Amino acid sequence: MMKRIFSTLLALVIPVQAAVSQTPDEAQARKARSVALLQSEGVPTIDHLPTIEPERASTRRNTKAVVQRAIALAIVAVKGETGDHTMGQALIRQFDAASFFTPDERAFMDDPDPSDQDRTNFTWRYEGAYVMLWALGITPELERPDHICDVPFIANTLRELGTDGLMRRAKLRPQAELLDAADLIYRYDWAAVNARLKGEEPPAGLDKGVVFERHYALNWLIGYMDQDWDDISTDT
């Protein structure tokens, strides 16, 4: 009788141990795929750059949060690009987006005459909007970060769908796919930062601004360190 109980307990323990052992395998496999792709492109890599969190340790954003983030990023980018305060306020009303902004974004949108540096910084948020549309299944592919995103596509998509239409159309990609993209951009960013520290141009034609903005957006998507959008870090 005791032997049977022991066997039953052992059968319960073994699957748990197997599940635990899968976590590093998942993360290592993801890293290996990223490294192989980068090496095929001639992008430098380093072995000791760690893995990112496995799926079960990551944060799964809900579709509504990602939709709102996409719209907010597009609106602040439009104001950054144009400097048109009136247009920015009109877009907020058009998309019913007043509650979508972070504190930093809200301060920028409320400022009728933001600094040139603030405008430049927020114009770059088109890249984050592009990442969100990809995560929502609207953009079919997250292209290599060697050129700026298709801004007219973002504008036309949001204009045609609106907030409600985007919610209906959106289908958030599987978490594993988001983590794959986050791991890859993490390693792209290391290569870009490493080149900058050595006084060199980014390798293999990478656009360092695009790489940074993608890294920022993807870290938010996977809940890196549970940071809010305004506080996201892009450690390399």
Side-chain angles (χ1 to χ4, degrees), residues 117-222:
Q117 187 60 60
D118 280 348
R119 285 186 55 191
T120 297
N121 292 345
F122 279 101
T123 299
W124 272 107
R125 293 313 196 201
Y126 280 125
E127 297 296 335
Y130 171 75
V131 170
M132 298 304 150
L133 291 179
W134 169 80
L136 292 166
I138 306 299
T139 303
E141 183 181 359
L142 199 57
E143 298 175 351
R144 190 173 186 275
D146 55 7
H147 60 282
I148 62 172
C149 64
D150 187 344
V151 173
F153 171 82
I154 295 172
N156 291 335
T157 298
L158 295 183
R159 185 184 304 114
E160 291 171 8
L161 294 177
T163 301
D164 292 341
L166 186 55
M167 274 297 301
R168 288 192 297 270
R169 175 95 172 269
K171 185 177 181 181
L172 194 59
R173 293 178 186 273
Q175 191 73 355
E177 194 171 349
L178 304 182
L179 288 163
D180 285 349
D183 185 273
L184 181 61
I185 200 67
Y186 168 47
R187 300 177 200 286
Y188 272 130
D189 203 7
W190 176 85
V193 170
N194 185 57
R196 175 175 58 80
L197 292 175
K198 295 194 294 185
E200 300 172 355
E201 290 298 311
L206 295 175
D207 185 309
K208 61 184 179 182
V210 173
V211 170
F212 172 80
E213 294 294 333
R214 293 253 194 106
H215 194 182
Y216 197 104
L218 285 161
N219 272 4
W220 178 82
L221 272 171
I222 65 169

